[in-house]
Protein backbone atom coordinates (compact mmCIF):
# COMPACT_ATOMS: atom_id res chain seq x y z
CA UNK A 1 0.00 0.00 0.00
CA UNK A 2 1.24 3.45 -0.90
CA UNK A 3 0.41 6.58 1.12
CA UNK A 4 -2.74 8.49 0.28
CA UNK A 5 -3.43 12.17 0.72
CA UNK A 6 -7.03 13.12 1.46
CA UNK A 7 -7.78 16.68 0.34
CA UNK A 8 -10.80 18.10 2.16
CA UNK A 9 -12.31 21.39 1.05
CA UNK A 10 -13.90 23.39 3.83
CA UNK A 11 -17.66 23.50 4.30
CA UNK A 12 -19.90 26.17 2.84
CA UNK A 13 -19.48 29.83 3.80
CA UNK A 14 -21.74 32.73 2.83
CA UNK A 15 -19.12 33.82 0.31
CA UNK A 16 -18.58 30.37 -1.23
CA UNK A 17 -22.36 30.04 -1.60
CA UNK A 18 -22.53 33.40 -3.43
CA UNK A 19 -19.43 32.83 -5.56
CA UNK A 20 -17.29 35.52 -3.93
CA UNK A 21 -13.54 34.95 -3.97
CA UNK A 22 -12.55 34.17 -0.39
CA UNK A 23 -8.82 34.19 0.05
CA UNK A 24 -7.55 35.76 3.22
CA UNK A 25 -10.89 37.03 4.59
CA UNK A 26 -11.83 34.80 7.51
CA UNK A 27 -15.44 34.03 6.70
CA UNK A 28 -17.09 31.47 9.04
CA UNK A 29 -18.96 28.37 7.98
CA UNK A 30 -22.70 28.65 7.47
CA UNK A 31 -25.03 26.32 9.36
CA UNK A 32 -25.14 24.20 6.20
CA UNK A 33 -21.33 24.23 6.08
CA UNK A 34 -21.09 23.13 9.71
CA UNK A 35 -23.52 20.25 9.10
CA UNK A 36 -21.53 19.10 6.05
CA UNK A 37 -18.28 19.32 8.05
CA UNK A 38 -19.80 17.14 10.78
CA UNK A 39 -20.75 14.54 8.14
CA UNK A 40 -17.09 14.41 7.10
CA UNK A 41 -16.39 12.58 10.37
CA UNK A 42 -18.44 9.61 9.16
CA UNK A 43 -17.04 9.84 5.63
CA UNK A 44 -13.45 9.68 6.96
CA UNK A 45 -14.20 7.11 9.69
CA UNK A 46 -11.96 4.08 9.69
CA UNK A 47 -9.16 5.75 7.77
CA UNK A 48 -5.77 5.96 9.46
CA UNK A 49 -3.73 9.16 9.09
CA UNK A 50 -0.14 9.79 10.12
CA UNK A 51 -0.96 13.50 10.18
CA UNK A 52 -3.72 16.05 9.68
CA UNK A 53 -2.82 19.49 8.33
CA UNK A 54 -5.05 22.53 8.07
CA UNK A 55 -5.00 25.93 6.51
CA UNK A 56 -4.98 28.58 9.23
CA UNK A 57 -8.31 29.98 8.00
CA UNK A 58 -11.25 29.63 10.36
CA UNK A 59 -13.36 27.93 7.68
CA UNK A 60 -10.73 25.22 7.12
CA UNK A 61 -9.72 24.74 10.76
CA UNK A 62 -13.38 24.62 11.86
CA UNK A 63 -14.11 22.03 9.16
CA UNK A 64 -11.09 20.06 10.38
CA UNK A 65 -12.30 20.21 13.99
CA UNK A 66 -15.89 19.27 13.13
CA UNK A 67 -14.56 16.33 11.08
CA UNK A 68 -12.81 15.08 14.23
CA UNK A 69 -9.21 16.16 13.64
CA UNK A 70 -9.06 19.39 15.63
CA UNK A 71 -6.99 17.99 18.49
CA UNK A 72 -4.27 16.57 16.21
CA UNK A 73 -4.23 18.95 13.25
CA UNK A 74 -1.23 21.15 12.54
CA UNK A 75 -1.94 24.50 10.92
CA UNK A 76 0.34 25.36 8.03
CA UNK A 77 0.37 28.82 6.41
CA UNK A 78 1.35 27.26 3.07
CA UNK A 79 -2.15 25.70 2.96
CA UNK A 80 -3.85 29.13 2.93
CA UNK A 81 -6.17 29.91 0.04
CA UNK A 82 -4.99 31.94 -2.95
CA UNK A 83 -4.47 35.60 -2.01
CA UNK A 84 -6.97 37.36 -4.28
CA UNK A 85 -5.67 40.83 -3.44
CA UNK A 86 -7.90 43.46 -5.08
CA UNK A 87 -10.39 40.74 -6.09
CA UNK A 88 -11.09 39.56 -2.52
CA UNK A 89 -14.84 39.38 -1.91
CA UNK A 90 -15.71 39.87 -5.59
CA UNK A 91 -17.41 37.37 -7.89
CA UNK A 92 -15.92 36.32 -11.21
CA UNK A 93 -18.83 38.08 -12.96
CA UNK A 94 -17.96 41.35 -11.17
CA UNK A 95 -14.28 40.99 -12.04
CA UNK A 96 -15.04 40.25 -15.71
CA UNK A 97 -17.19 43.39 -15.94
CA UNK A 98 -14.08 45.48 -15.30
CA UNK A 99 -11.51 43.12 -16.84
CA UNK A 100 -13.00 41.16 -19.75
CA UNK A 101 -11.31 37.85 -20.44
CA UNK A 102 -9.73 37.58 -16.98
CA UNK A 103 -8.87 34.04 -15.84
CA UNK A 104 -7.56 33.44 -12.33
CA UNK A 105 -5.13 30.66 -13.20
CA UNK A 106 -3.66 32.60 -16.12
CA UNK A 107 -3.77 36.19 -14.87
CA UNK A 108 -3.62 36.01 -11.07
CA UNK A 109 -4.85 38.95 -9.00
CA UNK A 110 -3.64 42.54 -8.68
CA UNK A 111 -2.03 43.04 -5.26
CA UNK A 112 -2.45 39.30 -4.72
CA UNK A 113 -0.91 36.05 -5.92
CA UNK A 114 -0.24 34.51 -9.31
CA UNK A 115 -0.59 30.81 -10.06
CA UNK A 116 3.21 30.55 -9.80
CA UNK A 117 3.11 32.05 -6.29
CA UNK A 118 0.50 29.53 -5.17
CA UNK A 119 2.47 26.79 -6.94
CA UNK A 120 5.55 27.61 -4.87
CA UNK A 121 3.56 27.06 -1.67
CA UNK A 122 2.03 23.87 -3.10
CA UNK A 123 5.50 22.56 -3.98
CA UNK A 124 6.56 22.92 -0.35
CA UNK A 125 3.48 20.93 0.72
CA UNK A 126 4.17 18.21 -1.87
CA UNK A 127 7.77 17.93 -0.63
CA UNK A 128 6.55 17.68 2.98
CA UNK A 129 3.98 15.02 2.02
CA UNK A 130 6.58 12.91 0.27
CA UNK A 131 8.98 13.30 3.21
CA UNK A 132 6.19 12.30 5.64
CA UNK A 133 5.59 9.04 3.79
CA UNK A 134 2.28 8.34 5.51
CA UNK A 135 -1.40 9.01 4.94
CA UNK A 136 -2.26 12.68 5.49
CA UNK A 137 -5.58 14.54 5.69
CA UNK A 138 -5.38 18.13 4.43
CA UNK A 139 -8.09 20.72 5.11
CA UNK A 140 -7.96 23.81 2.91
CA UNK A 141 -9.76 25.79 0.20
CA UNK A 142 -10.67 25.07 -3.42
CA UNK A 143 -8.19 27.03 -5.51
CA UNK A 144 -5.22 26.10 -3.35
CA UNK A 145 -6.19 22.41 -3.37
CA UNK A 146 -6.60 22.51 -7.15
CA UNK A 147 -3.06 23.88 -7.55
CA UNK A 148 -1.79 21.30 -5.05
CA UNK A 149 -3.31 18.49 -7.12
CA UNK A 150 -1.74 19.88 -10.28
CA UNK A 151 1.69 20.07 -8.66
CA UNK A 152 1.27 16.55 -7.18
CA UNK A 153 0.88 15.30 -10.74
CA UNK A 154 3.79 17.36 -12.06
CA UNK A 155 1.54 19.76 -13.97
CA UNK A 156 2.23 23.50 -13.92
CA UNK A 157 0.26 25.43 -11.26
CA UNK A 158 -2.08 26.68 -14.01
CA UNK A 159 -3.16 23.05 -14.44
CA UNK A 160 -5.32 23.54 -11.35
CA UNK A 161 -7.81 25.21 -13.68
CA UNK A 162 -8.67 21.73 -14.98
CA UNK A 163 -10.16 20.61 -11.66
CA UNK A 164 -13.25 21.69 -9.73
CA UNK A 165 -14.10 21.19 -6.05
CA UNK A 166 -17.38 21.45 -4.18
CA UNK A 167 -17.59 22.46 -0.55
CA UNK A 168 -16.98 19.66 1.99
CA UNK A 169 -15.63 17.50 -0.83
CA UNK A 170 -13.00 14.81 -0.40
CA UNK A 171 -10.41 14.02 -3.05
CA UNK A 172 -7.63 11.47 -2.79
CA UNK A 173 -4.11 11.72 -4.17
CA UNK A 174 -1.87 8.67 -4.24
CA UNK A 175 0.33 6.53 -6.43
CA UNK A 176 -0.16 3.82 -9.01
CA UNK A 177 2.67 1.27 -9.45
CA UNK A 178 5.35 2.92 -7.33
CA UNK A 179 6.26 6.22 -5.67
CA UNK A 180 7.38 7.67 -9.00
CA UNK A 181 3.81 7.53 -10.38
CA UNK A 182 1.62 10.08 -8.54
CA UNK A 183 -2.08 9.90 -9.46
CA UNK A 184 -5.49 11.17 -8.46
CA UNK A 185 -7.29 8.20 -6.92
CA UNK A 186 -10.66 9.99 -6.58
CA UNK A 187 -11.85 13.54 -7.03
CA UNK A 188 -14.55 15.86 -5.64
CA UNK A 189 -16.54 13.27 -3.68
CA UNK A 190 -19.41 15.10 -1.97
Amino acid sequence: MFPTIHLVRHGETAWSASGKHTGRADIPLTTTGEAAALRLKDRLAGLQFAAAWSSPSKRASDTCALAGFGSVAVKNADLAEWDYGAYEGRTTKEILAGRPGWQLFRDGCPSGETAADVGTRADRIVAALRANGGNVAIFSSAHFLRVLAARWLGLPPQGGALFILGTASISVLGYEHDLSEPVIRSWNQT
Side-chain angles (χ1 to χ4, degrees), residues 11-103:
E12 178 191 85
T13 68
W15 281 18
S16 67
S18 66
K20 291 182 179 181
H21 286 84
T22 315
R24 302 303 162 92
D26 220 0
I27 307 300
L29 298 174
T30 62
T31 303
T32 299
E34 289 175 348
L38 278 170
R39 286 191 298 277
L40 287 167
K41 184 182 279 190
D42 289 337
R43 294 172 58 204
L44 295 168
L47 299 173
Q48 299 294 316
F49 295 102
W53 301 343
S54 176
S55 160
S57 73
K58 183 168 176 47
R59 61 192 179 275
S61 60
D62 284 356
T63 298
C64 179
L66 290 166
F69 295 89
S71 64
V72 297
V74 174
K75 292 182 184 178
N76 185 323
D78 279 341
L79 294 171
E81 178 60 302
W82 198 307
D83 182 348
Y84 299 117
Y87 294 158
E88 183 78 13
R90 298 179 66 193
T91 65
T92 298
K93 183 178 180 180
E94 291 169 340
I95 296 165
L96 289 172
R99 189 173 172 188
W102 173 79
Q103 292 179 3

Side-chain angles (χ1 to χ4, degrees), residues 7-10 16 22 59 79-82 84 104-105 118 139-149 160 163-167 169 187:
L7 307 179
V8 183
R9 183 179 176 201
H10 63 76
S16 67
T22 315
R59 61 192 179 275
L79 294 171
E81 178 60 302
W82 198 307
Y84 299 117
L104 174 65
F105 286 89
V118 180
F139 295 81
S140 188
S141 298
H143 285 133
F144 177 80
L145 291 174
R146 292 165 64 179
V147 172
L148 179 61
F163 306 108
I164 195 78
L165 284 174
T167 54
S169 63
W187 191 256

Side-chain angles (χ1 to χ4, degrees), residues 123-144:
D123 286 347
R124 290 193 295 261
I125 295 297
V126 168
L129 289 167
R130 293 198 170 126
N132 178 288
N135 298 337
V136 179
I138 293 180
F139 295 81
S140 188
S141 298
H143 285 133
F144 177 80

